[in-house]
Amino acid sequence: MPGEDAAARDTGMRRAFWQGAITNLLNPKVILFNVAFLPQFVDPSLGHVPAQLLLLGGTLVVMGFLWDGFVGLLSGRLAGLLRRSARVNRWLNIVSGTVFTGLAVRLVVASPK
């Protein structure tokens, strides 16, 4: 049934969203970046330092969400194009095959150090 496919897709998208959100929230690199990067933009003379940090962090989150959403939507459109076009698919196979062949040749002819 068409409704079942849409429900399964929505569930998969929701699961992917929450998996990405949890991964980012628990990622120590993101925490370290924010601890090292954001404080240099806080000016104690302007008042309430925690509010400034919260505003900067919120701005970073919103900008990241907008950018990642744009990249995700663009990737989805591009994936659809790649799936539908046999010519593009063949071209990508040729390009990737050429790159892998070139890397293999380089690996064979490279002298060991």
Side-chain angles (χ1 to χ4, degrees):
M1 295 252 169
E4 291 175 5
D5 290 339
R9 187 178 66 235
D10 288 345
T11 302
M13 291 176 70
R14 192 175 302 118
R15 182 170 185 251
F17 172 80
W18 284 112
Q19 184 178 4
I22 290 171
T23 299
N24 273 334
L25 288 172
L26 299 178
N27 186 348
K29 291 182 290 186
V30 173
I31 296 168
L32 184 62
F33 173 79
N34 286 317
V35 168
F37 184 70
L38 289 183
Q40 65 185 323
F41 295 102
V42 172
D43 186 3
S45 67
L46 294 176
H48 208 260
V49 171
Q52 290 181 50
L53 283 170
L54 190 62
L55 179 65
L56 289 170
T59 302
L60 187 65
V61 167
V62 169
M63 289 176 59
F65 185 78
L66 291 174
W67 176 252
D68 290 344
F70 169 75
V71 169
L73 290 173
L74 186 65
S75 299
R77 299 274 179 169
L78 186 60
L81 170 73
L82 294 176
R83 269 185 247 153
R84 287 189 305 269
S85 175
R87 183 189 308 171
V88 172
N89 199 358
R90 179 168 164 71
W91 182 80
L92 284 175
N93 284 338
I94 290 170
V95 169
S96 61
T98 303
V99 168
F100 285 135
T101 302
L103 289 172
V105 168
R106 183 172 183 229
L107 187 62
V108 167
V109 298
S111 61
K113 294 182 181 179

